Amino acid sequence: MTVNAIASVHWPRWLWLSAGVIVVDQLTKAAILATFREGDGWAVAPFLSLVLTFNTGAAFSFLAGASGWQRWFFAAIAVAAAILIVALLRRGGNALYSAGLALILGGALGNLYDRLALGKGVDFLLFHYAGWAYPAFNVADSAITLGAALLIVDSFRRGRHEPAEAPKGTQ
């Protein structure tokens, strides 16, 4: 049995990582929603504040000003991405690859829940310094970013360590 065949048998264990992301994401959002009103903030450090902001768009408020159709558009994208990611997890892969996919899946589903239940994303982590501020984000966004970084690192590692296949007819 190959390593990928073994990994594909154990793919459901990666769903626990996705579930953990969803739980932490929703618990932190619930705490912020219970503590803050929109626009309220609390400086945690000179470079980090907790704030309550809502986002009806996607990353960096993309399409936030649209008339409401974007809610269902982004929900459909999240569902399609979740289906694709589960299919990729079932195919198997190394731990770095599978963890990256699981983190993205958990983040996508955490944000999907907000979109369906509230009609908007809940963001609360705001990094800033000397007049500069990065757009507010949440745990789900962080998991998606970390998952994407793991997939990038994995692609470089596989590119270096796996031999390229010879084109057909050259063997």
Side-chain angles (χ1 to χ4, degrees):
M1 202 176 226
T2 67
V3 172
N4 277 352
I6 293 168
S8 67
V9 172
H10 298 291
W11 72 271
R13 72 180 173 164
W14 292 107
L15 297 181
W16 287 106
L17 177 56
S18 299
V21 168
I22 295 166
V23 167
V24 172
D25 178 60
Q26 292 302 309
L27 287 175
T28 56
K29 288 173 182 173
I32 292 295
L33 287 168
T35 307
F36 293 94
R37 293 182 203 192
E38 187 173 9
D40 285 351
W42 177 58
V44 177
F47 58 89
L48 173 65
S49 295
L50 297 177
V51 298
L52 175 58
T53 62
F54 296 106
N55 182 2
T56 58
F60 304 107
S61 297
F62 176 65
L63 293 178
S67 62
W69 61 268
Q70 75 276 22
R71 172 185 184 184
W72 304 109
F73 175 71
F74 292 130
I77 288 174
V79 169
I83 291 167
L84 174 63
I85 290 169
V86 169
L88 292 172
L89 280 171
R90 288 184 61 139
R91 285 180 49 198
N94 64 47
L96 201 59
Y97 175 77
S98 298
L101 290 175
L103 287 167
I104 294 170
L105 177 62
L109 293 177
N111 283 336
L112 174 63
Y113 177 83
D114 294 346
R115 214 170 281 293
L116 296 177
L118 305 172
K120 54 194 169 191
V122 178
D123 295 323
F124 58 90
L125 295 168
L126 180 67
F127 284 90
H128 52 84
Y129 181 75
W132 169 87
Y134 190 81
F137 58 97
N138 57 46
V139 172
D141 299 333
S142 299
I144 292 168
T145 302
L146 178 58
L150 291 178
L151 292 179
I152 291 168
V153 168
D154 179 61
S155 73
F156 285 121
R157 289 182 67 217
R158 278 193 283 151
R160 254 194 350 242
H161 298 299
E162 291 181 5
E165 288 186 29
K168 291 189 183 242
T170 61
Q171 297 177 1

